[in-house]
Amino acid sequence: MKPSTPADEFALIQWIKAQSASSSFRSQSRTSIGIGDDCAALRFSSDREVLVTTDMLLDGRHFLLDDCGPEAAGEKALGANLSDIAAMAGLPIAAVVAVALPRDRATEIAQGLHRGMARLAERFGLALIGGDTNTWEGPLVISITVLGEATAQGPVRRSGAKPGDIVLVTGPLGGSLLGRHLRPEPRIEAAMALAEAVSIHAMIDLSDGLASDLGHILNESGGLGAWLEADSIPIHPDAHTIAAELADGRPAIDHALADGEDFELCLTVAPEDAARLLDQPPKGVKLYPVGGIDEDSGIRLRTAKGEESPLLLRGFNHFV
Ligand code: ADP
Ligand code: MG
């Protein structure tokens, strides 16, 4: 039977509630109060820290609704949040979704967003516990807050990198604008398996590009430096495609270092732990060593001949 189209905001919320209730997600048992009351209520283990992250995505800035459609927008918005939970090695538990919907297509867009989010919500056992629904004459705005639970070892922070650490990434980088940026694959399982296997000193998800995001680790870890081995950077085929298509003189490695929205993880671990992980990676986890942490300044790109040059590339910056 074709579901009827909800006629107004309240009918829409009922529709969302029915969709969420029909799925038996892992986290549903944590939810003592879900959609429909003034607040939701969740049960957390008393010995674990609660992780909280919010991302706001704007039509025209983070996606183009007319090109990608509402499902992709919803999937991207939730994926970006889940990637932040992964970056702390956390387990996602629940999501709250606030939307400003263009008035003339409000219901259609809201339902599309919901379908787009459902894939990731089901995959990670995430419960949709609430939100806020507005309509206006402006473009689509979607803001998602995800609550998660840290592992018993606690959240993995950006601030724990140490000189001598090896820098690893979990997948090939660059060219995500060709489509991958709309379909993030948050590395939740990988992060938890890695945190279980070794002591991760520092971790971040690659939303702005390796050059920029590794920079955040260095700053937060007390102003350290890092070298990257040019030949070791895993370059995604999309980065080669985009470099060839743009033909603007920027080689594929530039795209791998600076494009952003790869949603892979970048982590630093002690050299003996890196060796162990690379020898026997946790099941299903891909790892690429790309460089190391030191006490020199900034990030330097090292060639096969051992020559170093400062990395001048910048990642995607939302203020420029
Ligand atoms: P209030 O005015 O008390 O904030 P609302 O009418 O905004 O109540 O929301 C009613 C219920 O529906 C709340 O439980 C809220 O969390 C939920 N809700 C509203 N919009 C959404 C949405 N887009 N997705 C999921 N839940 C929603
Ligand atoms: Mg409300």
Side-chain angles (χ1 to χ4, degrees):
M1 196 174 75
K2 194 172 179 290
S4 58
T5 302
D8 61 15
E9 177 192 334
F10 300 105
L12 175 63
I13 294 173
Q14 285 307 317
W15 180 87
I16 293 173
K17 185 178 173 180
Q19 304 294 306
S20 308
S22 64
S23 45
S24 58
F25 297 153
R26 165 178 52 73
S27 300
Q28 220 80 325
S29 63
R30 308 254 204 162
T31 310
S32 49
I33 305 173
I35 294 171
D37 216 312
D38 293 306
C39 287
L42 281 177
R43 289 185 210 90
F44 278 91
S45 317
S46 57
D47 59 336
R48 297 286 176 94
E49 280 163 279
V50 178
L51 303 170
V52 185
T53 179
T54 295
D55 267 306
M56 180 184 282
L57 273 67
L58 314 175
D59 180 13
R61 182 67 174 160
H62 304 96
F63 58 88
L64 297 171
L65 184 63
D66 286 344
D67 291 348
C68 73
E71 295 196 17
E75 187 171 350
K76 175 169 185 176
L78 184 54
N81 274 278
L82 292 172
S83 184
D84 285 324
I85 298 283
M88 311 294 279
L91 178 71
I93 303 289
V96 180
V97 178
V99 287
L101 301 163
R103 201 184 307 283
D104 54 345
R105 296 168 54 203
T107 299
E108 172 210 333
I109 292 172
Q111 290 184 308
L113 288 174
H114 193 271
R115 277 190 288 269
M117 291 187 293
R119 180 185 82 86
L120 289 171
E122 273 168 40
R123 173 152 165 230
F124 294 110
L126 189 77
L128 175 62
I129 59 167
D132 198 27
T133 304
N134 294 284
T135 56
W136 71 332
E137 309 309 328
L140 173 64
V141 178
I142 172 166
S143 172
I144 304 186
T145 300
V146 171
L147 298 142
E149 192 171 84
T151 62
Q153 295 94 314
V156 178
R157 312 220 19 204
R158 296 178 177 183
S159 54
K162 295 181 175 64
D165 278 2
I166 299 296
V167 180
L168 304 161
V169 298
T170 54
L173 310 175
S176 74
L177 261 184
L178 290 183
R180 258 159 54 242
H181 77 113
L182 292 170
R183 292 185 305 274
E185 291 294 339
R187 300 298 183 201
I188 300 282
E189 299 99 337
M192 293 182 77
L194 288 165
E196 180 103 326
V198 297
S199 162
I200 304 173
H201 288 170
M203 188 152 67
I204 192 167
D205 67 313
L206 296 178
S207 52
D208 296 335
L210 178 61
S212 173
D213 289 321
L214 178 57
H216 294 314
I217 287 186
L218 300 176
N219 289 337
E220 292 299 316
S221 299
L224 297 172
W227 50 273
L228 293 173
E229 190 88 53
D231 287 348
S232 300
I233 309 292
I235 300 175
H236 195 282
D238 288 348
H240 289 290
T241 306
I242 220 167
E245 273 176 14
L246 293 178
D248 60 357
R250 288 180 66 213
I253 190 171
D254 277 28
H255 291 276
L257 290 169
D259 280 0
E261 302 202 307
D262 294 302
F263 299 112
E264 296 293 349
L265 297 171
C266 169
L267 55 148
T268 86
V269 299
E272 56 276 16
D273 283 335
R276 210 147 52 84
L277 286 174
L278 291 166
D279 189 40
Q280 276 193 307
K283 194 166 166 282
V285 179
K286 288 205 194 87
L287 282 174
Y288 304 81
V290 294
I293 304 290
D294 57 27
E295 284 177 293
D296 293 351
S297 70
I299 304 178
R300 286 140 285 121
L301 198 60
R302 200 179 274 177
T303 64
K305 290 186 199 136
E307 291 158 356
E308 281 193 0
S309 55
L311 201 65
L312 300 172
L313 304 163
R314 304 208 18 228
F316 190 79
N317 183 325
H318 290 272
F319 277 8
V320 294

